[in-house]
C-alpha cells in the first residue's frame, strides 16, 4: 500500500529557512570537527611503527569508518541546507549519500564487534597459552567488515529503493524502503550491542579469574599487562558511546515502520528528531578519537608528540 496515498507529495515547501539553518549549521560544524579528529588518529597510527599492532589496525579502521560517516554526514547536511525538501520526499542525490552513510555506519558496527573479539582473544587464556590475533588476521577482519558493509549499503543503489515506487517508502529516510531499513537495522543492532557486551563481560570474568589465580600462587598482581586492560577498557567506552549514539536512530526506524501519517503531518517535531539522531551519530564519530587519546596512553602520547614543539619532544618521548 502506498503510504503517501492521501498525501500531497512535493506540493509545498514545509521547511522554514530558520529551522533549516538552526539544524544544518551545527551538523556541518560537528562533521568537520569529526573529520579532523579522525584524520589525526589515522595519520598517527599509520606514521608510527610501534602502533602497527592488530588492535591499532582495528582502531585505525574504525577511525576510517568514522571519517567516512562524518564525510557522508557533511554531504547530507549540505543537501539538507540547500534542498531540505529532498530529505523528506527523496531524490537521487540523497539516495546516493544515504547509501554511503549506511555503508560507513555498518562498517563502524562491524569494527566494534571485531575490537571486542580481539580484546577477548588477547586477554583470555587457553591452556596457559595466550591466544593472540596476528596483524594479517586484523587486516583480513577489516577487509571482510568493509566487504559486508559495502554489499549491504549499496543494495539501494542497484534497485531496492522507493525513489520511483512510493509503496512501502520510508517517511524519515526517503527514498529508502521501510523493509530495507528494518533489514539492516534490527539484525545489525543485535550484533552491535549484544555480542560486544558478551565479549566485554567475558573479558571482565577472565581478568577476575586470572587475578584470583595469581593471588593464590603468591605472585604479584602486577604481572598483568596494564596495556591490555587499558585497551579493553577503551573498547567498553567505545561500545557504550555507540549504544548511546545509535539508540535514537533505532527508535526512529521502529517508529518509521509503524507510521502511516503524511510527511506534512510529522513536521516539524519528527524531522527535527531525525536530524538530532544524525547529530548523535556524528557525536559517536567525534567521541571515538577522543576516547583513543584519553584511554590509550601510547596513542595519546603520539598525538601530543605530533603537536609538540621540537624542543619539547624529547620530554614527551621519555614519557611514552
Amino acid at each position: 500500500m502506498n503510504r503517501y496515498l492521501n498525501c500531497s507529495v512535493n506540493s509545498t515547501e514545509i521547511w522554514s529557512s530558520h529551522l533549516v539553518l538552526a539544524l544544518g549549521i551545527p551538523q556541518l560544524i560537528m562533521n568537520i570537527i569529526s573529520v579532523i579528529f579522525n584524520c589525526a588518529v589515522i595519520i598517527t597510527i599509520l606514521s608510527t611503527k610501534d602502533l602497527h599492532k592488530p588492535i591499532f589496525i582495528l582502531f585505525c579502521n574504525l577511525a576510517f569508518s568514522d571519517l567516512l560517516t562524518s564525510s557522508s554526514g557533511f554531504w547530507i547536511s549540505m543537501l539538507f541546507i540547500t534542498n531540505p525538501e529532498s530529505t523528506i520526499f527523496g531524490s537521487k542525490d540523497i539516495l546516493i549519500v544515504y547509501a554511503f552513510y549506511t555503508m560507513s555506519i555498518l562498517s563502524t558496527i562491524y569494527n566494534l564487534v571485531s575490537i571486542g573479539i580481539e580484546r577477548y582473544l588477547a586477554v583470555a587464556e587457553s591452556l596457559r597459552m595466550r591466544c593472540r590475533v596476528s596483524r594479517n588476521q586484523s587486516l583480513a577482519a577489516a577487509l571482510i567488515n568493509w566487504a559486508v558493509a559495502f554489499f549491504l549499503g549499496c543494495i539501494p543503489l542497484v534497485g531496492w529503493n522507493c525513489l520511483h515506487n512510493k509503496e512501502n517508502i520510508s517517511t524519515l529516510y526517503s527514498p529508502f524502503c521501510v523493509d530495507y531499513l528494518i533489514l539492516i537495522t534490527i539484525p545489525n543492532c543485535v550484533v552491535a550491542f549484544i555480542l560486544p557486551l558478551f565479549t566485554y563481560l567475558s573479558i571482565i570474568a577472565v581478568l577476575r579469574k586470572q587475578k584470583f589465580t595469581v593471588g593464590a600462587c603468591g605472585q604479584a598482581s602486577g604481572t598483568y599487562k596494564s596495556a591490555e586492560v587499558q585497551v579493553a577498557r577503551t573498547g567498553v567506552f567505545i561500545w557504550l558511546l555507540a549504544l548511546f549514539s545509535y539508540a535514537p536512530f533505532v527508535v526512529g526506524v521502529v517508529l518509521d515502520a509503524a507510521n502511516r501519517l503524511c510527511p506534512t503531518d510529522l513536521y516539524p517535531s519528527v524531522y527535527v528528531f531525525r536530524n538530532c539522531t544524525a547529530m548523535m551519530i556524528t557525536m559517536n564519530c567525534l567521541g571515538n578519537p577522543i576516547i583513543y587519546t584519553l584511554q590509550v596512553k601510547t596513542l595519546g602520547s603520539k598525538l601530543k608528540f605530533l603537536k609538540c614543539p621540537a624542543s619539547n619532544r624529547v620530554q614527551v618521548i621519555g614519557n611514552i
Side-chain angles (χ1 to χ4, degrees):
M1 178 180 178
N2 190 335
R3 304 178 81 191
Y4 290 161
L5 185 61
N6 298 319
C7 301
S8 178
V9 180
N10 288 327
S11 59
T12 58
E13 295 184 358
I14 64 176
W15 280 102
S16 67
S17 58
H18 296 291
L19 184 57
V20 168
L21 293 177
L23 293 173
I25 298 301
Q27 285 181 261
L28 285 177
I29 296 175
M30 290 178 61
N31 282 303
I32 292 174
I33 296 175
S34 178
V35 167
I36 295 173
F37 274 44
N38 283 286
C39 283
V41 172
I42 294 172
I43 293 173
T44 301
I45 294 177
L46 293 179
S47 61
T48 308
K49 290 185 178 180
D50 57 353
L51 293 183
H52 294 175
K53 300 177 182 179
I55 184 59
F56 288 105
I57 291 175
L58 295 178
F59 278 153
C60 184
N61 195 40
L62 179 60
F64 187 75
S65 300
D66 289 338
L67 174 62
L68 183 58
T69 302
S70 302
S71 301
S72 302
F74 179 85
W75 189 0
I76 293 174
S77 301
M78 289 299 299
L79 290 176
F80 174 72
I81 292 176
T82 57
N83 185 16
E85 312 305 323
S86 66
T87 64
I88 294 181
F89 302 112
S91 67
K92 185 63 178 295
D93 292 336
I94 204 70
L95 174 64
I96 295 174
V97 68
Y98 273 170
F100 280 98
Y101 197 55
T102 302
M103 178 179 64
S104 55
I105 290 176
L106 291 176
S107 178
T108 297
I109 291 175
Y110 301 148
N111 274 288
L112 289 173
V113 175
S114 299
I115 290 172
I117 295 175
E118 194 279 341
R119 285 297 84 198
Y120 175 77
L121 293 177
V123 173
E125 287 186 347
S126 176
L127 299 176
R128 298 183 181 180
M129 296 294 293
R130 304 190 69 80
C131 181
R132 290 193 175 276
V133 177
S134 67
R135 186 184 305 176
N136 290 336
Q137 289 173 325
S138 291
L139 290 174
L143 292 176
I144 292 174
N145 291 341
W146 277 107
V148 177
F150 180 82
F151 172 76
L152 294 177
C154 290
I155 288 178
L157 297 180
V158 296
W160 193 359
N161 63 73
C162 295
L163 185 61
H164 302 294
N165 182 11
K166 300 302 180 180
E167 183 178 357
N168 204 31
I169 191 173
S170 169
T171 305
L172 294 182
Y173 301 100
S174 174
F176 276 177
C177 299
V178 171
D179 48 1
Y180 169 75
L181 282 174
I182 294 176
L183 174 66
I184 64 169
T185 300
I186 304 303
N188 286 292
C189 285
V190 172
V191 171
F193 300 145
I194 302 301
L195 187 56
L197 177 62
F198 175 78
T199 56
Y200 289 126
L201 290 177
S202 300
I203 289 173
I204 294 174
V206 169
L207 291 176
R208 183 168 298 181
K209 180 180 178 180
Q210 190 178 37
K211 180 180 179 180
F212 291 150
T213 302
V214 170
C217 296
Q219 300 177 8
S221 59
T223 55
Y224 288 105
K225 290 188 176 180
S226 60
E228 289 185 353
V229 179
Q230 189 73 23
V231 178
R233 188 181 304 166
T234 302
V236 174
F237 278 114
I238 292 174
W239 178 82
L240 290 176
L241 178 62
L243 178 64
F244 177 75
S245 301
Y246 287 104
F249 171 76
V250 176
V251 172
V253 171
V254 173
L255 294 177
D256 190 11
N259 174 63
R260 290 296 182 272
L261 298 177
C262 298
T264 52
D265 297 330
L266 300 176
Y267 175 84
S269 58
V270 174
Y271 289 104
V272 170
F273 171 78
R274 180 202 63 185
N275 283 45
C276 290
T277 61
M279 285 190 281
M280 293 293 291
I281 293 175
T282 305
M283 286 181 58
N284 177 77
C285 301
L286 181 59
N288 283 339
I290 295 176
I291 291 177
Y292 301 153
T293 58
L294 292 179
Q295 296 297 323
V296 183
K297 295 180 180 179
T298 304
L299 182 57
S301 299
K302 294 299 181 181
L303 287 173
K304 292 177 183 178
F305 173 77
L306 289 180
K307 64 181 180 181
C308 279
S311 58
N312 297 334
R313 288 185 181 179
V314 175
Q315 181 180 358
V316 175
I317 293 175
N319 296 328
I320 294 177

